Amino acid sequence: MKTVTLRFPSLENLGRFIQQQEGGYYTNTRMLTVKGCFAPNSIDAACNQLGAEVIEHKN
C-alpha cells in the first residue's frame, strides 16, 4: 500500500471512492482530495473509473 493523494473531478466521485474505503484517510472536500494508504488496485480504479488524478506519491 502506498501513501498517495488523489484529486477528483467532482464531490460525487470523491464520495464514491471513500465509501469503498475502510478508513485511514484524510479528505479535503474543498480541494476534492483524499490522502491515505491505498492498495494499487484502488488507485487504478479511482483513476480509470472515477477520473481521479494522482497529485502526490510517498513511499
Side-chain angles (χ1 to χ4, degrees), residues 21-52:
Q21 304 304 310
E22 294 183 12
Y25 53 82
Y26 295 99
T27 304
N28 183 334
T29 55
R30 183 171 164 252
M31 299 295 292
L32 300 177
T33 60
V34 61
K35 181 177 184 174
C37 291
F38 307 113
N41 60 341
S42 293
I43 297 169
D44 291 341
C47 293
N48 295 331
Q49 297 172 5
L50 300 173

Side-chain angles (χ1 to χ4, degrees), residues 7-32:
R7 180 180 297 140
F8 290 84
S10 68
L11 186 58
E12 181 180 356
N13 288 358
L14 173 63
R16 286 182 183 171
F17 179 76
I18 60 174
Q19 283 180 337
Q20 299 170 0
Q21 304 304 310
E22 294 183 12
Y25 53 82
Y26 295 99
T27 304
N28 183 334
T29 55
R30 183 171 164 252
M31 299 295 292
L32 300 177

